[in-house]
PDB file of all heavy atoms in Angstrom:
ATOM      1  N   LEU A 243      30.192  -8.822  57.008  1.00 65.00           N
ATOM      2  CA  LEU A 243      30.973  -7.566  57.404  1.00 65.00           C
ATOM      3  C   LEU A 243      30.050  -6.414  56.924  1.00 65.00           C
ATOM      4  O   LEU A 243      29.488  -6.430  55.813  1.00 65.00           O
ATOM      5  CB  LEU A 243      32.336  -7.450  56.742  1.00 65.00           C
ATOM      6  CG  LEU A 243      33.430  -8.014  57.669  1.00 65.00           C
ATOM      7  CD1 LEU A 243      34.733  -7.992  56.959  1.00 65.00           C
ATOM      8  CD2 LEU A 243      33.567  -7.239  59.077  1.00 65.00           C
ATOM      9  N   PRO A 244      29.975  -5.290  57.671  1.00 61.00           N
ATOM     10  CA  PRO A 244      29.302  -4.179  57.237  1.00 61.00           C
ATOM     11  C   PRO A 244      29.759  -3.652  55.911  1.00 61.00           C
ATOM     12  O   PRO A 244      31.154  -3.577  55.691  1.00 61.00           O
ATOM     13  CB  PRO A 244      29.332  -3.205  58.338  1.00 61.00           C
ATOM     14  CG  PRO A 244      30.531  -3.508  59.086  1.00 61.00           C
ATOM     15  CD  PRO A 244      30.653  -5.049  58.920  1.00 61.00           C
ATOM     16  N   ARG A 245      28.984  -3.133  54.998  1.00 61.00           N
ATOM     17  CA  ARG A 245      29.491  -2.376  53.890  1.00 61.00           C
ATOM     18  C   ARG A 245      30.047  -0.971  54.165  1.00 61.00           C
ATOM     19  O   ARG A 245      29.422  -0.337  54.999  1.00 61.00           O
ATOM     20  CB  ARG A 245      28.507  -2.302  52.846  1.00 61.00           C
ATOM     21  CG  ARG A 245      28.594  -3.363  51.708  1.00 61.00           C
ATOM     22  CD  ARG A 245      27.655  -3.215  50.669  1.00 61.00           C
ATOM     23  NE  ARG A 245      26.348  -3.477  51.156  1.00 61.00           N
ATOM     24  CZ  ARG A 245      25.172  -2.995  50.553  1.00 61.00           C
ATOM     25  NH1 ARG A 245      25.274  -2.354  49.483  1.00 61.00           N
ATOM     26  NH2 ARG A 245      23.950  -3.368  51.080  1.00 61.00           N
ATOM     27  N   LEU A 246      31.149  -0.611  53.648  1.00 57.00           N
ATOM     28  CA  LEU A 246      31.674   0.751  54.014  1.00 57.00           C
ATOM     29  C   LEU A 246      30.988   1.665  53.034  1.00 57.00           C
ATOM     30  O   LEU A 246      30.869   1.309  51.859  1.00 57.00           O
ATOM     31  CB  LEU A 246      33.174   0.718  53.814  1.00 57.00           C
ATOM     32  CG  LEU A 246      33.915  -0.085  55.002  1.00 57.00           C
ATOM     33  CD1 LEU A 246      35.345  -0.302  54.509  1.00 57.00           C
ATOM     34  CD2 LEU A 246      33.834   0.663  56.365  1.00 57.00           C
ATOM     35  N   PRO A 247      30.719   2.926  53.458  1.00 54.00           N
ATOM     36  CA  PRO A 247      30.285   3.839  52.515  1.00 54.00           C
ATOM     37  C   PRO A 247      31.307   4.124  51.371  1.00 54.00           C
ATOM     38  O   PRO A 247      32.512   4.072  51.621  1.00 54.00           O
ATOM     39  CB  PRO A 247      30.108   5.194  53.343  1.00 54.00           C
ATOM     40  CG  PRO A 247      30.258   4.680  54.737  1.00 54.00           C
ATOM     41  CD  PRO A 247      30.976   3.417  54.819  1.00 54.00           C
ATOM     42  N   SER A 248      30.896   4.196  50.146  1.00 53.00           N
ATOM     43  CA  SER A 248      31.684   4.254  49.049  1.00 53.00           C
ATOM     44  C   SER A 248      32.560   5.567  49.234  1.00 53.00           C
ATOM     45  O   SER A 248      32.204   6.622  49.845  1.00 53.00           O
ATOM     46  CB  SER A 248      31.044   4.305  47.746  1.00 53.00           C
ATOM     47  OG  SER A 248      30.067   5.340  47.733  1.00 53.00           O
ATOM     48  N   GLY A 249      33.864   5.582  48.705  1.00 52.00           N
ATOM     49  CA  GLY A 249      34.666   6.801  48.742  1.00 52.00           C
ATOM     50  C   GLY A 249      35.528   6.859  50.012  1.00 52.00           C
ATOM     51  O   GLY A 249      36.411   7.608  50.231  1.00 52.00           O
ATOM     52  N   LYS A 250      35.069   6.022  50.974  1.00 53.00           N
ATOM     53  CA  LYS A 250      35.915   6.057  52.281  1.00 53.00           C
ATOM     54  C   LYS A 250      37.095   5.020  52.202  1.00 53.00           C
ATOM     55  O   LYS A 250      36.906   3.928  51.571  1.00 53.00           O
ATOM     56  CB  LYS A 250      35.021   5.722  53.477  1.00 53.00           C
ATOM     57  CG  LYS A 250      34.209   6.871  53.806  1.00 53.00           C
ATOM     58  CD  LYS A 250      34.163   6.872  55.396  1.00 53.00           C
ATOM     59  CE  LYS A 250      33.311   8.185  55.780  1.00 53.00           C
ATOM     60  NZ  LYS A 250      32.599   8.107  56.965  1.00 53.00           N
ATOM     61  N   SER A 251      38.150   5.332  52.782  1.00 55.00           N
ATOM     62  CA  SER A 251      39.213   4.390  52.666  1.00 55.00           C
ATOM     63  C   SER A 251      39.020   3.088  53.596  1.00 55.00           C
ATOM     64  O   SER A 251      38.164   3.287  54.456  1.00 55.00           O
ATOM     65  CB  SER A 251      40.627   5.073  53.087  1.00 55.00           C
ATOM     66  OG  SER A 251      40.387   5.570  54.388  1.00 55.00           O
ATOM     67  N   LYS A 252      39.750   2.098  53.513  1.00 56.00           N
ATOM     68  CA  LYS A 252      39.625   1.005  54.317  1.00 56.00           C
ATOM     69  C   LYS A 252      39.860   1.322  55.770  1.00 56.00           C
ATOM     70  O   LYS A 252      40.840   2.000  55.988  1.00 56.00           O
ATOM     71  CB  LYS A 252      40.502  -0.142  53.720  1.00 56.00           C
ATOM     72  CG  LYS A 252      39.913  -1.027  52.653  1.00 56.00           C
ATOM     73  CD  LYS A 252      40.829  -2.236  52.465  1.00 56.00           C
ATOM     74  CE  LYS A 252      40.180  -3.206  51.656  1.00 56.00           C
ATOM     75  NZ  LYS A 252      40.994  -4.338  51.445  1.00 56.00           N
ATOM     76  N   PRO A 253      39.128   0.782  56.632  1.00 54.00           N
ATOM     77  CA  PRO A 253      39.428   0.926  58.142  1.00 54.00           C
ATOM     78  C   PRO A 253      40.822   0.328  58.415  1.00 54.00           C
ATOM     79  O   PRO A 253      41.091  -0.748  57.863  1.00 54.00           O
ATOM     80  CB  PRO A 253      38.284   0.355  58.817  1.00 54.00           C
ATOM     81  CG  PRO A 253      37.826  -0.755  57.924  1.00 54.00           C
ATOM     82  CD  PRO A 253      38.040  -0.246  56.560  1.00 54.00           C
ATOM     83  N   THR A 254      41.546   1.061  59.254  1.00 54.00           N
ATOM     84  CA  THR A 254      42.805   0.601  59.609  1.00 54.00           C
ATOM     85  C   THR A 254      42.653  -0.563  60.599  1.00 54.00           C
ATOM     86  O   THR A 254      43.613  -1.371  60.669  1.00 54.00           O
ATOM     87  CB  THR A 254      43.755   1.707  60.103  1.00 54.00           C
ATOM     88  OG1 THR A 254      43.058   2.481  61.037  1.00 54.00           O
ATOM     89  CG2 THR A 254      44.197   2.614  58.983  1.00 54.00           C
ATOM     90  N   SER A 255      41.774  -0.494  61.362  1.00 60.00           N
ATOM     91  CA  SER A 255      41.570  -1.651  62.404  1.00 60.00           C
ATOM     92  C   SER A 255      40.113  -1.889  62.523  1.00 60.00           C
ATOM     93  O   SER A 255      39.202  -1.183  62.168  1.00 60.00           O
ATOM     94  CB  SER A 255      42.090  -1.233  63.678  1.00 60.00           C
ATOM     95  OG  SER A 255      41.121  -0.525  64.507  1.00 60.00           O
ATOM     96  N   LEU A 256      39.850  -3.187  63.095  1.00 57.00           N
ATOM     97  CA  LEU A 256      38.471  -3.516  63.256  1.00 57.00           C
ATOM     98  C   LEU A 256      37.693  -2.538  64.252  1.00 57.00           C
ATOM     99  O   LEU A 256      36.499  -2.334  64.263  1.00 57.00           O
ATOM    100  CB  LEU A 256      38.327  -4.858  63.947  1.00 57.00           C
ATOM    101  CG  LEU A 256      38.519  -6.027  62.866  1.00 57.00           C
ATOM    102  CD1 LEU A 256      38.514  -7.354  63.604  1.00 57.00           C
ATOM    103  CD2 LEU A 256      37.647  -5.953  61.685  1.00 57.00           C
ATOM    104  N   ARG A 257      38.440  -1.720  65.067  1.00 60.00           N
ATOM    105  CA  ARG A 257      37.831  -0.814  66.044  1.00 60.00           C
ATOM    106  C   ARG A 257      37.111   0.237  65.285  1.00 60.00           C
ATOM    107  O   ARG A 257      36.188   0.840  65.714  1.00 60.00           O
ATOM    108  CB  ARG A 257      38.909  -0.241  66.919  1.00 60.00           C
ATOM    109  CG  ARG A 257      39.220  -1.172  68.067  1.00 60.00           C
ATOM    110  CD  ARG A 257      38.618  -0.758  69.170  1.00 60.00           C
ATOM    111  NE  ARG A 257      38.515  -1.828  70.155  1.00 60.00           N
ATOM    112  CZ  ARG A 257      37.369  -1.950  70.917  1.00 60.00           C
ATOM    113  NH1 ARG A 257      36.596  -1.178  70.901  1.00 60.00           N
ATOM    114  NH2 ARG A 257      37.376  -3.111  71.762  1.00 60.00           N
ATOM    115  N   ASP A 258      37.640   0.576  63.995  1.00 64.00           N
ATOM    116  CA  ASP A 258      37.139   1.678  63.231  1.00 64.00           C
ATOM    117  C   ASP A 258      35.819   1.276  62.486  1.00 64.00           C
ATOM    118  O   ASP A 258      35.113   2.164  62.012  1.00 64.00           O
ATOM    119  CB  ASP A 258      38.078   2.235  62.150  1.00 64.00           C
ATOM    120  CG  ASP A 258      39.381   2.724  62.844  1.00 64.00           C
ATOM    121  OD1 ASP A 258      39.281   3.147  64.155  1.00 64.00           O
ATOM    122  OD2 ASP A 258      40.329   2.974  62.239  1.00 64.00           O
ATOM    123  N   VAL A 259      35.527  -0.030  62.486  1.00 68.00           N
ATOM    124  CA  VAL A 259      34.441  -0.377  61.789  1.00 68.00           C
ATOM    125  C   VAL A 259      33.159  -0.160  62.579  1.00 68.00           C
ATOM    126  O   VAL A 259      33.007  -0.633  63.703  1.00 68.00           O
ATOM    127  CB  VAL A 259      34.359  -1.809  61.439  1.00 68.00           C
ATOM    128  CG1 VAL A 259      33.124  -2.351  60.804  1.00 68.00           C
ATOM    129  CG2 VAL A 259      35.585  -2.313  60.567  1.00 68.00           C
ATOM    130  N   LYS A 260      32.226   0.607  62.030  1.00 80.00           N
ATOM    131  CA  LYS A 260      30.913   0.895  62.719  1.00 80.00           C
ATOM    132  C   LYS A 260      30.097  -0.394  62.448  1.00 80.00           C
ATOM    133  O   LYS A 260      29.537  -0.400  61.426  1.00 80.00           O
ATOM    134  CB  LYS A 260      30.201   2.198  62.146  1.00 80.00           C
ATOM    135  CG  LYS A 260      31.006   3.444  62.633  1.00 80.00           C
ATOM    136  CD  LYS A 260      30.540   4.028  63.770  1.00 80.00           C
ATOM    137  CE  LYS A 260      31.195   5.386  64.115  1.00 80.00           C
ATOM    138  NZ  LYS A 260      32.403   5.189  65.105  1.00 80.00           N
ATOM    139  N   PHE A 261      29.900  -1.018  63.497  1.00 86.00           N
ATOM    140  CA  PHE A 261      29.294  -2.386  63.170  1.00 86.00           C
ATOM    141  C   PHE A 261      27.962  -2.549  64.096  1.00 86.00           C
ATOM    142  O   PHE A 261      28.094  -2.310  65.342  1.00 86.00           O
ATOM    143  CB  PHE A 261      30.308  -3.511  63.571  1.00 86.00           C
ATOM    144  CG  PHE A 261      29.748  -4.946  63.761  1.00 86.00           C
ATOM    145  CD1 PHE A 261      29.220  -5.564  62.606  1.00 86.00           C
ATOM    146  CD2 PHE A 261      29.758  -5.500  64.871  1.00 86.00           C
ATOM    147  CE1 PHE A 261      28.619  -6.914  62.705  1.00 86.00           C
ATOM    148  CE2 PHE A 261      29.243  -6.742  65.075  1.00 86.00           C
ATOM    149  CZ  PHE A 261      28.655  -7.475  63.947  1.00 86.00           C
TER     150      PHE A 261
END
Side-chain angles (χ1 to χ4, degrees):
L243 272 172
R245 258 183 292 160
L246 291 164
S248 56
K250 285 216 173 156
S251 59
K252 273 191 169 180
T254 44
S255 83
L256 285 180
R257 281 260 154 216
D258 294 342
V259 178
K260 293 266 181 262
F261 164 69

